[in-house]
Amino acid sequence: MIGAEQSVFGVALSVSCILEAAVLFFSGKIIAKLGSSVCLYIVFATYTARLLANSFIEHPWVAVATEATQSICFGLLYPTVTAWGSTLVPPGMQGSVQGIMGAMYMSIGRAVGAALGGVFFETYGPRTMFRIFAVVSFLFLAILVILLEAAKRRQSPGAAENAVVASAGMSHDQDALQDDNRLTRDETMEELLENSRELPNADRKNGPGKENVDLVSTDA
């Protein structure tokens, strides 16, 4: 539609793969820093911007920039969902979560997207198709934000308080343990000092004469 050459597709794919590998490599640190929910917000917002930008492309090489966002749309989405899902299932089921995620995204998602995309492409044209999908992506983003924020509000108000109380209790126990250790060290030091004072006194009581008497008794 916009007269793109084959080289544009090759460059776009290469840039996308390189950036995607980088995001996948650092995804653990990104998720730990931002949190799973924020990462999902970023993914859907990027999808929305990407699809909307594709509907306004006039020059083929601009597509290289829009396709570079695949590094976030997939490189951040896949590890975020699998990591998050792994925390919600019993131990040993993490592999099942990755399998379900792969089936939903790689198989069902692509099949449904390709089918609907083909219908919209033939019916409304490529620009309208991209805008429709951009609106759908934005709606999913809005629904995701509402659901996740509502889930956070539904959490027990006392959960944070209990966590603080538990943390305070642990801190109190640690302080008590430190006090006991300090008292034990003080008692040990006092005992050592007392013993050190008694040793010279014992030596003076024994004296050289005592040693001689012991030697004479032994000889006798």
Side-chain angles (χ1 to χ4, degrees), residues 106-174:
M106 300 291 187
S107 300
I108 299 176
R110 287 189 175 184
V112 174
L116 293 179
V119 173
F120 291 153
F121 188 94
E122 292 293 334
T123 305
Y124 305 107
R127 297 188 185 277
T128 303
M129 177 197 69
F130 280 122
R131 290 166 189 169
I132 291 173
F133 282 123
V135 172
V136 173
S137 178
F138 180 78
L139 291 177
F140 274 113
L141 172 61
I143 294 172
L144 183 65
V145 171
I146 293 172
L147 292 177
L148 291 181
E149 294 303 320
K152 291 178 182 179
R153 294 192 189 96
R154 280 203 309 270
Q155 289 179 350
S156 174
E161 182 179 354
N162 293 336
V164 173
V165 171
S167 177
M170 293 176 62
S171 177
H172 176 72
D173 293 339
Q174 291 176 353

Short mmCIF file of all heavy atoms in Angstrom, two decimals, residues 106-174:
data_model
loop_
_atom_site.label_atom_id
_atom_site.label_comp_id
_atom_site.label_asym_id
_atom_site.label_seq_id
_atom_site.Cartn_x
_atom_site.Cartn_y
_atom_site.Cartn_z
N MET A 106 0.61 -17.67 21.03
CA MET A 106 1.19 -18.10 19.76
C MET A 106 0.18 -18.79 18.84
O MET A 106 0.26 -18.66 17.62
CB MET A 106 2.36 -19.07 20.04
CG MET A 106 3.48 -18.47 20.85
SD MET A 106 4.38 -17.20 19.93
CE MET A 106 5.72 -16.87 21.08
N SER A 107 -0.77 -19.51 19.42
CA SER A 107 -1.68 -20.30 18.60
C SER A 107 -3.05 -19.63 18.46
O SER A 107 -3.41 -19.12 17.40
CB SER A 107 -1.83 -21.70 19.20
OG SER A 107 -0.57 -22.35 19.25
N ILE A 108 -3.81 -19.61 19.56
CA ILE A 108 -5.17 -19.07 19.50
C ILE A 108 -5.17 -17.59 19.16
O ILE A 108 -5.94 -17.13 18.30
CB ILE A 108 -5.88 -19.33 20.85
CG1 ILE A 108 -5.97 -20.83 21.12
CG2 ILE A 108 -7.28 -18.70 20.84
CD1 ILE A 108 -6.56 -21.16 22.47
N GLY A 109 -4.28 -16.83 19.82
CA GLY A 109 -4.24 -15.39 19.57
C GLY A 109 -3.90 -15.06 18.13
O GLY A 109 -4.57 -14.22 17.51
N ARG A 110 -2.89 -15.71 17.61
CA ARG A 110 -2.50 -15.43 16.22
C ARG A 110 -3.57 -15.88 15.23
O ARG A 110 -3.81 -15.21 14.21
CB ARG A 110 -1.17 -16.11 15.91
CG ARG A 110 0.01 -15.44 16.57
CD ARG A 110 1.33 -15.99 16.08
NE ARG A 110 2.46 -15.26 16.63
CZ ARG A 110 3.73 -15.49 16.31
NH1 ARG A 110 4.02 -16.45 15.44
NH2 ARG A 110 4.70 -14.78 16.86
N ALA A 111 -4.20 -17.00 15.51
CA ALA A 111 -5.24 -17.48 14.59
C ALA A 111 -6.43 -16.52 14.55
O ALA A 111 -6.91 -16.13 13.47
CB ALA A 111 -5.69 -18.87 15.02
N VAL A 112 -6.90 -16.12 15.74
CA VAL A 112 -8.04 -15.19 15.79
C VAL A 112 -7.66 -13.84 15.21
O VAL A 112 -8.43 -13.22 14.45
CB VAL A 112 -8.53 -15.04 17.25
CG1 VAL A 112 -9.61 -13.97 17.34
CG2 VAL A 112 -9.05 -16.38 17.77
N GLY A 113 -6.45 -13.35 15.56
CA GLY A 113 -6.01 -12.06 15.04
C GLY A 113 -5.88 -12.06 13.53
O GLY A 113 -6.28 -11.09 12.86
N ALA A 114 -5.32 -13.13 12.98
CA ALA A 114 -5.18 -13.20 11.52
C ALA A 114 -6.53 -13.27 10.82
O ALA A 114 -6.75 -12.63 9.78
CB ALA A 114 -4.33 -14.42 11.16
N ALA A 115 -7.47 -14.03 11.40
CA ALA A 115 -8.79 -14.15 10.79
C ALA A 115 -9.54 -12.81 10.81
O ALA A 115 -10.05 -12.35 9.78
CB ALA A 115 -9.61 -15.22 11.51
N LEU A 116 -9.58 -12.18 11.99
CA LEU A 116 -10.27 -10.90 12.09
C LEU A 116 -9.55 -9.81 11.29
O LEU A 116 -10.19 -8.96 10.66
CB LEU A 116 -10.39 -10.48 13.56
CG LEU A 116 -11.28 -11.34 14.43
CD1 LEU A 116 -11.27 -10.83 15.87
CD2 LEU A 116 -12.72 -11.34 13.90
N GLY A 117 -8.20 -9.85 11.34
CA GLY A 117 -7.44 -8.87 10.58
C GLY A 117 -7.71 -8.97 9.08
O GLY A 117 -7.84 -7.95 8.40
N GLY A 118 -7.81 -10.20 8.56
CA GLY A 118 -8.10 -10.36 7.15
C GLY A 118 -9.47 -9.82 6.77
O GLY A 118 -9.64 -9.16 5.73
N VAL A 119 -10.46 -10.07 7.64
CA VAL A 119 -11.82 -9.57 7.37
C VAL A 119 -11.84 -8.05 7.38
O VAL A 119 -12.40 -7.40 6.47
CB VAL A 119 -12.80 -10.14 8.41
CG1 VAL A 119 -14.18 -9.49 8.25
CG2 VAL A 119 -12.91 -11.65 8.25
N PHE A 120 -11.23 -7.45 8.41
CA PHE A 120 -11.22 -5.98 8.50
C PHE A 120 -10.41 -5.35 7.38
O PHE A 120 -10.75 -4.28 6.88
CB PHE A 120 -10.66 -5.55 9.86
CG PHE A 120 -11.56 -5.88 11.01
CD1 PHE A 120 -11.04 -6.08 12.28
CD2 PHE A 120 -12.94 -6.00 10.85
CE1 PHE A 120 -11.85 -6.40 13.35
CE2 PHE A 120 -13.77 -6.32 11.91
CZ PHE A 120 -13.24 -6.51 13.17
N PHE A 121 -9.30 -6.02 7.00
CA PHE A 121 -8.46 -5.50 5.93
C PHE A 121 -9.24 -5.43 4.61
O PHE A 121 -9.18 -4.43 3.89
CB PHE A 121 -7.23 -6.38 5.76
CG PHE A 121 -6.20 -5.84 4.81
CD1 PHE A 121 -5.14 -5.09 5.29
CD2 PHE A 121 -6.28 -6.10 3.45
CE1 PHE A 121 -4.18 -4.59 4.41
CE2 PHE A 121 -5.34 -5.61 2.57
CZ PHE A 121 -4.28 -4.85 3.04
N GLU A 122 -9.97 -6.50 4.30
CA GLU A 122 -10.73 -6.53 3.05
C GLU A 122 -11.95 -5.62 3.10
O GLU A 122 -12.35 -5.05 2.08
CB GLU A 122 -11.16 -7.98 2.76
CG GLU A 122 -10.02 -8.92 2.43
CD GLU A 122 -9.35 -8.58 1.11
OE1 GLU A 122 -10.00 -7.97 0.24
OE2 GLU A 122 -8.15 -8.91 0.97
N THR A 123 -12.51 -5.48 4.29
CA THR A 123 -13.76 -4.71 4.39
C THR A 123 -13.51 -3.21 4.54
O THR A 123 -14.17 -2.39 3.87
CB THR A 123 -14.58 -5.20 5.59
OG1 THR A 123 -14.79 -6.61 5.46
CG2 THR A 123 -15.93 -4.48 5.66
N TYR A 124 -12.57 -2.83 5.41
CA TYR A 124 -12.38 -1.41 5.74
C TYR A 124 -11.05 -0.83 5.26
O TYR A 124 -10.88 0.38 5.28
CB TYR A 124 -12.48 -1.21 7.26
CG TYR A 124 -13.76 -1.73 7.85
CD1 TYR A 124 -13.77 -2.89 8.62
CD2 TYR A 124 -14.98 -1.08 7.64
CE1 TYR A 124 -14.94 -3.37 9.18
CE2 TYR A 124 -16.15 -1.55 8.19
CZ TYR A 124 -16.12 -2.71 8.96
OH TYR A 124 -17.29 -3.18 9.50
N GLY A 125 -10.11 -1.68 4.86
CA GLY A 125 -8.80 -1.19 4.46
C GLY A 125 -7.81 -1.26 5.63
O GLY A 125 -8.21 -1.37 6.79
N PRO A 126 -6.52 -1.18 5.32
CA PRO A 126 -5.51 -1.37 6.35
C PRO A 126 -5.51 -0.28 7.43
O PRO A 126 -5.31 -0.57 8.61
CB PRO A 126 -4.19 -1.38 5.58
CG PRO A 126 -4.50 -0.66 4.30
CD PRO A 126 -5.91 -0.97 3.98
N ARG A 127 -5.70 0.97 7.07
CA ARG A 127 -5.64 2.04 8.06
C ARG A 127 -6.78 1.92 9.07
O ARG A 127 -6.57 2.04 10.28
CB ARG A 127 -5.68 3.40 7.36
CG ARG A 127 -4.48 3.64 6.46
CD ARG A 127 -4.44 5.06 5.93
NE ARG A 127 -3.35 5.23 4.99
CZ ARG A 127 -2.08 5.48 5.32
NH1 ARG A 127 -1.75 5.56 6.60
NH2 ARG A 127 -1.15 5.63 4.39
N THR A 128 -7.96 1.67 8.59
CA THR A 128 -9.09 1.50 9.50
C THR A 128 -8.92 0.24 10.35
O THR A 128 -9.27 0.23 11.53
CB THR A 128 -10.40 1.41 8.70
OG1 THR A 128 -10.56 2.59 7.89
CG2 THR A 128 -11.59 1.28 9.63
N MET A 129 -8.36 -0.79 9.75
CA MET A 129 -8.11 -2.02 10.51
C MET A 129 -7.20 -1.74 11.70
O MET A 129 -7.48 -2.17 12.83
CB MET A 129 -7.46 -3.07 9.59
CG MET A 129 -7.09 -4.37 10.30
SD MET A 129 -5.92 -5.38 9.34
CE MET A 129 -4.43 -4.34 9.44
N PHE A 130 -6.09 -1.04 11.45
CA PHE A 130 -5.17 -0.73 12.54
C PHE A 130 -5.85 0.12 13.61
O PHE A 130 -5.61 -0.07 14.82
CB PHE A 130 -3.93 -0.01 12.00
CG PHE A 130 -2.91 -0.93 11.39
CD1 PHE A 130 -2.53 -0.76 10.06
CD2 PHE A 130 -2.34 -1.96 12.12
CE1 PHE A 130 -1.58 -1.60 9.48
CE2 PHE A 130 -1.40 -2.81 11.55
CZ PHE A 130 -1.01 -2.63 10.22
N ARG A 131 -6.69 1.05 13.21
CA ARG A 131 -7.35 1.91 14.19
C ARG A 131 -8.37 1.13 15.02
O ARG A 131 -8.54 1.39 16.21
CB ARG A 131 -8.02 3.08 13.47
CG ARG A 131 -7.00 4.07 12.90
CD ARG A 131 -7.59 5.05 11.92
NE ARG A 131 -6.52 5.83 11.28
CZ ARG A 131 -6.70 6.61 10.23
NH1 ARG A 131 -7.91 6.73 9.69
NH2 ARG A 131 -5.68 7.28 9.72
N ILE A 132 -9.04 0.19 14.38
CA ILE A 132 -9.98 -0.65 15.13
C ILE A 132 -9.24 -1.46 16.19
O ILE A 132 -9.66 -1.51 17.36
CB ILE A 132 -10.75 -1.59 14.18
CG1 ILE A 132 -11.71 -0.79 13.29
CG2 ILE A 132 -11.52 -2.65 14.97
CD1 ILE A 132 -12.39 -1.61 12.22
N PHE A 133 -8.13 -2.07 15.79
CA PHE A 133 -7.36 -2.85 16.76
C PHE A 133 -6.74 -1.96 17.84
O PHE A 133 -6.55 -2.40 18.98
CB PHE A 133 -6.28 -3.65 16.04
CG PHE A 133 -6.81 -4.90 15.37
CD1 PHE A 133 -6.62 -5.10 14.01
CD2 PHE A 133 -7.48 -5.87 16.11
CE1 PHE A 133 -7.11 -6.25 13.40
CE2 PHE A 133 -7.97 -7.01 15.49
CZ PHE A 133 -7.78 -7.21 14.14
N ALA A 134 -6.41 -0.72 17.49
CA ALA A 134 -5.89 0.21 18.50
C ALA A 134 -6.96 0.51 19.55
O ALA A 134 -6.67 0.56 20.75
CB ALA A 134 -5.41 1.50 17.84
N VAL A 135 -8.19 0.70 19.10
CA VAL A 135 -9.29 0.94 20.04
C VAL A 135 -9.51 -0.29 20.91
O VAL A 135 -9.71 -0.17 22.14
CB VAL A 135 -10.58 1.31 19.28
CG1 VAL A 135 -11.77 1.37 20.23
CG2 VAL A 135 -10.40 2.64 18.56
N VAL A 136 -9.47 -1.47 20.31
CA VAL A 136 -9.65 -2.70 21.09
C VAL A 136 -8.54 -2.85 22.13
O VAL A 136 -8.79 -3.21 23.29
CB VAL A 136 -9.67 -3.93 20.15
CG1 VAL A 136 -9.67 -5.22 20.96
CG2 VAL A 136 -10.89 -3.88 19.23
N SER A 137 -7.31 -2.55 21.73
CA SER A 137 -6.19 -2.63 22.67
C SER A 137 -6.36 -1.64 23.81
O SER A 137 -6.09 -1.97 24.98
CB SER A 137 -4.88 -2.35 21.93
OG SER A 137 -3.78 -2.37 22.83
N PHE A 138 -6.83 -0.43 23.50
CA PHE A 138 -7.05 0.57 24.56
C PHE A 138 -8.16 0.13 25.51
O PHE A 138 -8.07 0.34 26.72
CB PHE A 138 -7.41 1.92 23.93
CG PHE A 138 -7.65 3.00 24.94
CD1 PHE A 138 -6.59 3.63 25.57
CD2 PHE A 138 -8.94 3.37 25.27
CE1 PHE A 138 -6.82 4.62 26.51
CE2 PHE A 138 -9.17 4.36 26.21
CZ PHE A 138 -8.10 4.99 26.83
N LEU A 139 -9.21 -0.49 24.96
CA LEU A 139 -10.29 -0.99 25.81
C LEU A 139 -9.79 -2.08 26.75
O LEU A 139 -10.15 -2.12 27.94
CB LEU A 139 -11.44 -1.51 24.95
CG LEU A 139 -12.24 -0.46 24.17
CD1 LEU A 139 -13.30 -1.13 23.30
CD2 LEU A 139 -12.89 0.54 25.13
N PHE A 140 -8.94 -2.98 26.22
CA PHE A 140 -8.36 -4.02 27.08
C PHE A 140 -7.49 -3.39 28.16
O PHE A 140 -7.47 -3.86 29.30
CB PHE A 140 -7.54 -5.00 26.24
CG PHE A 140 -8.36 -6.11 25.65
CD1 PHE A 140 -8.54 -6.22 24.28
CD2 PHE A 140 -8.96 -7.06 26.47
CE1 PHE A 140 -9.30 -7.25 23.74
CE2 PHE A 140 -9.72 -8.09 25.94
CZ PHE A 140 -9.90 -8.18 24.58
N LEU A 141 -6.76 -2.34 27.82
CA LEU A 141 -5.94 -1.64 28.81
C LEU A 141 -6.81 -1.06 29.91
O LEU A 141 -6.50 -1.20 31.11
CB LEU A 141 -5.12 -0.54 28.13
CG LEU A 141 -4.36 0.41 29.07
CD1 LEU A 141 -3.34 -0.35 29.90
CD2 LEU A 141 -3.68 1.52 28.26
N ALA A 142 -7.91 -0.40 29.52
CA ALA A 142 -8.81 0.19 30.50
C ALA A 142 -9.42 -0.88 31.41
O ALA A 142 -9.49 -0.71 32.63
CB ALA A 142 -9.91 0.98 29.79
N ILE A 143 -9.85 -1.99 30.81
CA ILE A 143 -10.44 -3.08 31.60
C ILE A 143 -9.40 -3.66 32.56
O ILE A 143 -9.69 -3.95 33.73
CB ILE A 143 -10.99 -4.18 30.67
CG1 ILE A 143 -12.17 -3.64 29.86
CG2 ILE A 143 -11.39 -5.41 31.46
CD1 ILE A 143 -12.66 -4.58 28.78
N LEU A 144 -8.17 -3.81 32.08
CA LEU A 144 -7.10 -4.36 32.91
C LEU A 144 -6.82 -3.46 34.11
O LEU A 144 -6.68 -3.93 35.24
CB LEU A 144 -5.84 -4.55 32.07
CG LEU A 144 -4.64 -5.17 32.78
CD1 LEU A 144 -4.94 -6.61 33.17
CD2 LEU A 144 -3.40 -5.12 31.87
N VAL A 145 -6.75 -2.16 33.84
CA VAL A 145 -6.49 -1.21 34.94
C VAL A 145 -7.61 -1.27 35.97
O VAL A 145 -7.37 -1.30 37.19
CB VAL A 145 -6.33 0.21 34.39
CG1 VAL A 145 -6.27 1.23 35.53
CG2 VAL A 145 -5.08 0.32 33.53
N ILE A 146 -8.86 -1.28 35.50
CA ILE A 146 -10.00 -1.30 36.42
C ILE A 146 -9.99 -2.57 37.27
O ILE A 146 -10.16 -2.53 38.49
CB ILE A 146 -11.32 -1.18 35.63
CG1 ILE A 146 -11.44 0.20 34.99
CG2 ILE A 146 -12.52 -1.44 36.54
CD1 ILE A 146 -12.60 0.35 34.04
N LEU A 147 -9.77 -3.72 36.62
CA LEU A 147 -9.80 -4.99 37.35
C LEU A 147 -8.66 -5.09 38.37
O LEU A 147 -8.87 -5.50 39.52
CB LEU A 147 -9.74 -6.15 36.37
CG LEU A 147 -10.96 -6.36 35.47
CD1 LEU A 147 -10.73 -7.51 34.51
CD2 LEU A 147 -12.21 -6.61 36.30
N LEU A 148 -7.46 -4.72 37.95
CA LEU A 148 -6.32 -4.84 38.85
C LEU A 148 -6.41 -3.86 40.01
O LEU A 148 -6.10 -4.21 41.16
CB LEU A 148 -5.01 -4.64 38.09
CG LEU A 148 -4.63 -5.74 37.09
CD1 LEU A 148 -3.31 -5.43 36.42
CD2 LEU A 148 -4.56 -7.10 37.79
N GLU A 149 -6.84 -2.64 39.73
CA GLU A 149 -6.96 -1.67 40.81
C GLU A 149 -8.08 -2.06 41.77
O GLU A 149 -7.98 -1.87 42.98
CB GLU A 149 -7.22 -0.27 40.23
CG GLU A 149 -6.05 0.29 39.43
CD GLU A 149 -4.76 0.35 40.23
OE1 GLU A 149 -4.83 0.72 41.43
OE2 GLU A 149 -3.70 0.03 39.67
N ALA A 150 -9.18 -2.61 41.22
CA ALA A 150 -10.27 -3.07 42.09
C ALA A 150 -9.80 -4.24 42.95
O ALA A 150 -10.17 -4.35 44.13
CB ALA A 150 -11.47 -3.48 41.24
N ALA A 151 -9.00 -5.12 42.36
CA ALA A 151 -8.48 -6.25 43.13
C ALA A 151 -7.58 -5.76 44.26
O ALA A 151 -7.60 -6.32 45.37
CB ALA A 151 -7.72 -7.19 42.21
N LYS A 152 -6.80 -4.72 44.02
CA LYS A 152 -5.94 -4.18 45.07
C LYS A 152 -6.78 -3.57 46.20
O LYS A 152 -6.43 -3.71 47.37
CB LYS A 152 -5.01 -3.11 44.49
CG LYS A 152 -3.97 -3.66 43.54
CD LYS A 152 -3.12 -2.54 42.97
CE LYS A 152 -2.09 -3.08 41.98
NZ LYS A 152 -1.27 -1.99 41.39
N ARG A 153 -7.89 -2.91 45.85
CA ARG A 153 -8.73 -2.29 46.89
C ARG A 153 -9.48 -3.34 47.69
O ARG A 153 -9.81 -3.11 48.86
CB ARG A 153 -9.73 -1.33 46.24
CG ARG A 153 -9.09 -0.11 45.60
CD ARG A 153 -10.13 0.93 45.25
NE ARG A 153 -9.57 2.00 44.45
CZ ARG A 153 -9.62 2.08 43.13
NH1 ARG A 153 -10.24 1.10 42.46
NH2 ARG A 153 -9.07 3.07 42.48
N ARG A 154 -9.79 -4.49 47.06
CA ARG A 154 -10.52 -5.54 47.75
C ARG A 154 -9.66 -6.31 48.74
O ARG A 154 -10.19 -7.05 49.55
CB ARG A 154 -11.12 -6.53 46.74
CG ARG A 154 -12.41 -6.06 46.09
CD ARG A 154 -13.20 -7.25 45.58
NE ARG A 154 -12.39 -8.14 44.77
CZ ARG A 154 -12.24 -8.03 43.46
NH1 ARG A 154 -12.82 -7.05 42.82
NH2 ARG A 154 -11.49 -8.90 42.80
N GLN A 155 -8.37 -6.14 48.63
CA GLN A 155 -7.49 -6.83 49.56
C GLN A 155 -7.78 -6.36 50.98
O GLN A 155 -8.16 -5.22 51.21
CB GLN A 155 -6.03 -6.57 49.21
CG GLN A 155 -5.59 -7.28 47.94
CD GLN A 155 -4.14 -6.99 47.62
OE1 GLN A 155 -3.53 -6.13 48.25
NE2 GLN A 155 -3.60 -7.70 46.66
N SER A 156 -7.64 -7.27 51.93
CA SER A 156 -7.97 -6.98 53.31
C SER A 156 -7.20 -5.76 53.80
O SER A 156 -5.98 -5.70 53.68
CB SER A 156 -7.61 -8.18 54.20
OG SER A 156 -7.79 -7.86 55.56
N PRO A 157 -7.92 -4.75 54.37
CA PRO A 157 -7.22 -3.56 54.87
C PRO A 157 -6.24 -3.92 55.98
O PRO A 157 -5.28 -3.21 56.20
CB PRO A 157 -8.35 -2.67 55.40
CG PRO A 157 -9.59 -3.17 54.72
CD PRO A 157 -9.37 -4.64 54.53
N GLY A 158 -6.52 -5.01 56.69
CA GLY A 158 -5.64 -5.38 57.78
C GLY A 158 -4.41 -6.14 57.33
O GLY A 158 -3.54 -6.44 58.15
N ALA A 159 -4.34 -6.47 56.03
CA ALA A 159 -3.19 -7.24 55.56
C ALA A 159 -1.90 -6.47 55.76
O ALA A 159 -0.90 -7.00 56.25
CB ALA A 159 -3.36 -7.61 54.09
N ALA A 160 -1.94 -5.20 55.35
CA ALA A 160 -0.73 -4.39 55.51
C ALA A 160 -0.41 -4.19 56.99
O ALA A 160 0.75 -4.25 57.41
CB ALA A 160 -0.92 -3.03 54.84
N GLU A 161 -1.48 -3.99 57.80
CA GLU A 161 -1.27 -3.81 59.23
C GLU A 161 -0.68 -5.06 59.86
O GLU A 161 0.23 -5.00 60.69
CB GLU A 161 -2.59 -3.45 59.91
CG GLU A 161 -2.45 -3.19 61.40
CD GLU A 161 -3.78 -2.81 62.04
OE1 GLU A 161 -4.76 -2.65 61.28
OE2 GLU A 161 -3.82 -2.69 63.26
N ASN A 162 -1.21 -6.22 59.45
CA ASN A 162 -0.67 -7.48 59.98
C ASN A 162 0.79 -7.66 59.59
O ASN A 162 1.59 -8.17 60.37
CB ASN A 162 -1.49 -8.66 59.45
CG ASN A 162 -2.91 -8.65 60.01
OD1 ASN A 162 -3.16 -8.07 61.06
ND2 ASN A 162 -3.83 -9.27 59.30
N ALA A 163 1.11 -7.27 58.35
CA ALA A 163 2.49 -7.39 57.92
C ALA A 163 3.39 -6.49 58.75
O ALA A 163 4.50 -6.87 59.13
CB ALA A 163 2.62 -7.02 56.43
N VAL A 164 2.88 -5.27 59.05
CA VAL A 164 3.67 -4.36 59.87
C VAL A 164 3.83 -4.91 61.28
O VAL A 164 4.91 -4.86 61.87
CB VAL A 164 3.00 -2.97 59.91
CG1 VAL A 164 3.72 -2.06 60.91
CG2 VAL A 164 3.00 -2.35 58.54
N VAL A 165 2.72 -5.46 61.83
CA VAL A 165 2.78 -6.03 63.18
C VAL A 165 3.75 -7.20 63.22
O VAL A 165 4.56 -7.33 64.15
CB VAL A 165 1.38 -6.48 63.64
CG1 VAL A 165 1.48 -7.26 64.93
CG2 VAL A 165 0.48 -5.27 63.81
N ALA A 166 3.68 -8.07 62.20
CA ALA A 166 4.59 -9.21 62.16
C ALA A 166 6.04 -8.74 62.07
O ALA A 166 6.93 -9.28 62.71
CB ALA A 166 4.25 -10.11 60.97
N SER A 167 6.25 -7.72 61.24
CA SER A 167 7.60 -7.18 61.11
C SER A 167 8.07 -6.58 62.43
O SER A 167 9.21 -6.77 62.84
CB SER A 167 7.64 -6.11 60.01
OG SER A 167 8.91 -5.53 59.92
N ALA A 168 7.14 -5.88 63.12
CA ALA A 168 7.50 -5.30 64.42
C ALA A 168 7.80 -6.39 65.43
O ALA A 168 8.72 -6.28 66.24
CB ALA A 168 6.37 -4.40 64.92
N GLY A 169 6.99 -7.49 65.39
CA GLY A 169 7.23 -8.60 66.30
C GLY A 169 8.58 -9.24 66.07
O GLY A 169 9.32 -9.56 67.01
N MET A 170 8.94 -9.42 64.80
CA MET A 170 10.25 -9.98 64.48
C MET A 170 11.35 -9.05 64.96
O MET A 170 12.37 -9.50 65.50
CB MET A 170 10.36 -10.23 62.97
CG MET A 170 9.45 -11.32 62.44
SD MET A 170 9.55 -11.47 60.65
CE MET A 170 11.26 -11.91 60.47
N SER A 171 11.14 -7.75 64.78
CA SER A 171 12.14 -6.80 65.24
C SER A 171 12.29 -6.85 66.76
O SER A 171 13.41 -6.80 67.29
CB SER A 171 11.76 -5.38 64.79
OG SER A 171 12.67 -4.43 65.27
N HIS A 172 11.16 -6.98 67.48
CA HIS A 172 11.21 -7.07 68.94
C HIS A 172 11.95 -8.33 69.38
O HIS A 172 12.76 -8.30 70.32
CB HIS A 172 9.79 -7.08 69.49
CG HIS A 172 9.73 -7.27 70.98
ND1 HIS A 172 10.11 -6.27 71.87
CD2 HIS A 172 9.37 -8.34 71.73
CE1 HIS A 172 9.97 -6.73 73.10
NE2 HIS A 172 9.53 -7.97 73.05
N ASP A 173 11.66 -9.46 68.72
CA ASP A 173 12.35 -10.70 69.06
C ASP A 173 13.85 -10.59 68.82
O ASP A 173 14.66 -11.09 69.60
CB ASP A 173 11.78 -11.87 68.25
CG ASP A 173 10.32 -12.16 68.65
OD1 ASP A 173 9.93 -11.76 69.76
OD2 ASP A 173 9.61 -12.78 67.83
N GLN A 174 14.19 -9.94 67.70
CA GLN A 174 15.61 -9.77 67.42
C GLN A 174 16.29 -8.89 68.47
O GLN A 174 17.41 -9.17 68.89
CB GLN A 174 15.79 -9.15 66.02
CG GLN A 174 15.40 -10.10 64.89
CD GLN A 174 15.48 -9.44 63.54
OE1 GLN A 174 15.71 -8.24 63.44
NE2 GLN A 174 15.29 -10.22 62.49
#
